Amino acid sequence: MTLQPILNYAHSLIKAVINHGDVAVDATCGNGHDTLFLSSLVGKEGYVYGFDIQKQAIAQTEERLKKHCAEEQVTLVQDSHAQIAKYIPASHQFEIKAAIFNLGYLPGSDKNIVTTPQETIASVKQLLSFLQPGGIIVLVIYHGHAGGAEEKDALVQYATSLEQKSFQVLQYGFINQRNSPPFIIAIEKK
Ligand code: SAM
């Protein structure tokens, strides 16, 4: 098929901007798939910061990275992505080339522990101020769970309001799928 599934498309957007040696952020580590993907793209000369509020997610991400010998260039933080400025050293903040958010709950875990509009937007705002020109933030928005619709609406409203002189904002999703299908909002800094 020509049209890429949501997660493939999210990764292809990230892959298009990241080079070896870059700095990247996984704002929601979960089971660590995206952290591993970012780590392989930046290579040993680059760096990845991964955030998750759940101990289980950080442990699973650490295990996945170790299994692929990709942990050396990654710092994992068990705290909210709203606190990124506190954990990413000043020397790396303005080198960030890409960030990914995979919103919602950790698959196979407590469905009540979810990302929230307030913390997600607080994090995106900080990342947009740090991001290098040409850099990108990719939000994969799952919204079928309790609280998901509120987060989706807040993010669409926030992203729509971004100044077009400074940012390009893309929405990508399949509009004929049933049951609240996920979609992407990608924000590129000009
Ligand atoms: N990207 C992950 C992967 O590859 O497996 C899946 C992420 S999962 C859909 C969403 C994750 O966001 C959960 O693990 C959850 O604990 C985490 N989360 C919820 N609120 C958060 C916050 N404020 N800061 C960081 N992570 C958060």
Side-chain angles (χ1 to χ4, degrees):
M1 274 198 288
T2 303
L3 299 178
Q4 289 189 59
I6 293 296
L7 289 177
N8 295 32
Y9 190 63
H11 280 191
S12 65
L13 287 169
I14 298 269
K15 202 172 173 181
V17 303
I18 290 193
N19 294 305
H20 265 227
D22 283 339
V23 178
V25 175
D26 183 356
T28 54
C29 290
N31 289 314
H33 296 100
D34 294 327
T35 321
L36 177 61
F37 174 68
L38 294 175
S39 174
S40 67
L41 289 179
V42 303
K44 302 279 180 215
E45 314 86 55
Y47 216 81
V48 175
Y49 294 88
F51 294 83
D52 204 293
I53 49 174
Q54 296 192 70
K55 193 176 173 185
Q56 179 192 350
I58 294 295
Q60 272 164 4
T61 300
E62 196 166 18
E63 199 183 316
R64 189 177 300 282
L65 292 169
K66 284 195 173 142
K67 207 167 136 192
H68 291 84
C69 301
E71 78 278 18
E72 203 182 295
Q73 63 268 34
V74 180
T75 291
L76 296 175
V77 179
Q78 190 192 337
D79 200 346
S80 172
H81 43 224
Q83 303 296 327
I84 52 166
K86 192 168 130 190
Y87 294 101
I88 302 182
S91 59
H92 268 172
Q93 283 178 0
F94 291 97
E95 285 185 29
I96 297 171
K97 201 68 183 290
I100 187 160
F101 290 72
N102 224 304
L103 302 175
Y105 58 86
L106 179 61
S109 183
D110 186 346
K111 292 188 180 173
N112 295 310
I113 305 177
V114 293
T115 51
T116 65
Q118 297 78 12
E119 305 218 358
T120 302
I121 290 174
S123 183
V124 170
K125 280 184 180 168
Q126 290 171 65
L127 282 164
L128 286 179
S129 72
F130 295 152
L131 206 62
Q132 290 215 332
I136 198 165
I137 298 178
V138 176
L139 297 135
V140 182
I141 303 177
Y142 292 87
H143 53 100
H145 57 280
E150 289 75 16
E151 185 172 36
K152 172 192 69 130
D153 291 344
L155 280 169
V156 169
Q157 191 182 22
Y158 170 71
T160 306
S161 75
L162 288 169
E163 178 55 60
Q164 77 175 54
K165 269 192 248 151
S166 309
F167 303 101
Q168 290 211 93
V169 183
L170 166 95
Q171 187 167 340
Y172 179 89
F174 295 94
I175 58 175
N176 66 333
Q177 284 179 0
R178 288 161 200 266
N179 301 326
S180 315
F183 66 96
I184 287 171
I185 288 181
I187 307 169
E188 181 181 28
K189 189 168 180 174
K190 288 188 178 173

